[in-house]
């Protein structure tokens, strides 16, 4: 059974850092793309970053240079290192797996319809 469990959220001051973790099970991590999405109050899901084994990471413009996605296939873990956090980064963060195999993408997409395994997110709050 496919499962992705996110942890690591919390409250942080502006400019601070947090690392989110995503523990996956029920599928072979190396075969798929993993993406991070977020959802702020009153807004839709917003793609943050994604990664495949073959093509490397992809970032949205609003986090590029501040966030780093990584994966450890041996441990079935994916991470999102978030630095220089801003108030607008406040949201619930989700980790999801691609519907298609990772090697079918030239660059992993950041559109919610390409992904599955939406479980509970983890809340990140950035404040002064």
């Amino acid at each position: 059974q496919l499962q992705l469990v996110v942890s690591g959220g919390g409250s942080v001051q502006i400019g601070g850092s947090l690392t989110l973790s995503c523990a996956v099970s029920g599928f072979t991590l190396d075969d798929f793309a993993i993406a991070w999405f977020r959802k702020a109050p009153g807004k839709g899901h917003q793609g943050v970053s994604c990664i495949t084994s073959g093509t490397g990471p992809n970032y949205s413009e609003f986090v590029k240079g501040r966030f780093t996605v990584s994966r450890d296939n041996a441990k079935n873990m994916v991470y999102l290192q978030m630095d220089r956090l801003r108030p607008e980064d406040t949201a619930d963060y989700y980790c999801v797996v691609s519907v298609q195999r990772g090697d079918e993408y030239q660059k992993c997409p950041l559109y919610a319809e390409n992904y599955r395994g939406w479980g509970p997110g983890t809340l990140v709050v950035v404040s002064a």
Side-chain angles (χ1 to χ4, degrees), residues 86-98:
R86 305 168 179 169
E88 54 265 38
D89 295 320
T90 295
D92 283 305
Y93 283 73
Y94 302 86
C95 172
V96 287
V97 59
S98 60

Side-chain angles (χ1 to χ4, degrees), residues 3-69:
Q3 194 170 23
L4 299 99
V5 179
V6 184
S7 61
S11 295
V12 63
Q13 290 186 322
I14 296 171
S17 298
L18 276 176
T19 300
L20 303 184
S21 299
C22 177
V24 310
S25 60
F27 63 96
T28 303
L29 179 58
D30 196 32
D31 289 344
F32 294 92
I34 299 294
W36 290 92
F37 283 79
R38 68 188 186 188
K39 189 176 189 302
K43 297 186 178 181
H45 286 97
Q46 187 178 51
V48 175
S49 180
C50 58
I51 187 169
T52 66
S53 292
T55 62
N58 184 20
Y59 298 96
S60 64
E61 288 301 317
F62 45 81
V63 305
K64 194 173 291 184
R66 299 188 298 122
F67 290 12
T68 304
V69 63

Side-chain angles (χ1 to χ4, degrees), residues 52-124:
T52 66
S53 292
T55 62
N58 184 20
Y59 298 96
S60 64
E61 288 301 317
F62 45 81
V63 305
K64 194 173 291 184
R66 299 188 298 122
F67 290 12
T68 304
V69 63
S70 62
R71 58 197 288 161
D72 186 333
N73 292 336
K75 295 182 179 179
N76 286 327
M77 295 292 296
V78 182
Y79 305 97
L80 184 68
Q81 172 68 38
M82 305 186 295
D83 299 315
R84 290 183 282 141
L85 283 161
R86 305 168 179 169
E88 54 265 38
D89 295 320
T90 295
D92 283 305
Y93 283 73
Y94 302 86
C95 172
V96 287
V97 59
S98 60
V99 173
Q100 294 180 252
R101 291 177 58 89
D103 56 12
E104 295 183 33
Y105 301 117
Q106 288 190 331
K107 185 166 68 174
C108 54
L110 288 174
Y111 302 101
E113 59 265 30
N114 294 111
Y115 294 91
R116 55 190 167 130
W118 297 86
T122 189
L123 178 62
V124 172

